[in-house]
Amino acid sequence: VSTQSTVSSGINAEYGECCGTTGPSYWSWGGQVPASCCSNFTTSMATETCNEADAFTDGCMDSSEKLVKDALLALVILLLIIIIFLVACMVFACCSKKGKK
């Protein structure tokens, strides 16, 4: 079993139902794909293969791109919330200082 198969097992466990970078055709093993590409995959099957006909049809690249985009969106939203909070704190600090004069 190649390193690609091991990587595919990890990707499927993390990102869901996908097979290969672009789909099952990514693997050129004569109609066989890593067992991680099939719905009945368990970690004990990590060194086995299954039929390409039984494999998930979506590639893992799309799943991983979506995960990265979602994470970046969450990060941008969090940063905007922090900036709004800091600006609000500065405004309240300036208003409270003017009130004491």
Side-chain angles (χ1 to χ4, degrees):
V1 174
S2 69
T3 303
Q4 289 178 333
S5 178
T6 305
V7 170
S8 176
S9 299
I11 289 172
N12 281 357
E14 187 69 27
Y15 302 118
E17 299 177 349
C18 62
C19 182
T21 304
T22 56
S25 59
Y26 172 81
W27 305 103
S28 55
W29 294 353
Q32 296 291 307
V33 295
S36 61
C37 286
C38 296
S39 60
N40 61 349
F41 174 72
T42 61
T43 53
S44 63
M45 299 168 56
T47 60
E48 299 177 19
T49 61
C50 69
N51 291 324
E52 188 173 338
D54 299 328
F56 299 121
T57 56
D58 295 333
C60 296
M61 182 63 75
D62 292 336
S63 297
S64 58
E65 283 178 355
K66 183 183 180 317
L67 181 69
V68 169
K69 286 178 183 177
D70 290 347
L72 285 175
L73 177 62
L75 179 65
V76 167
I77 290 171
L78 178 64
L79 289 175
L80 286 174
I81 290 170
I82 291 171
I83 289 169
I84 290 169
F85 177 75
L86 290 175
V87 169
C89 287
M90 289 189 306
V91 168
F92 288 132
C94 289
C95 290
S96 69
K97 187 174 182 181
K98 286 181 182 178
K100 291 185 178 182
K101 284 186 173 183

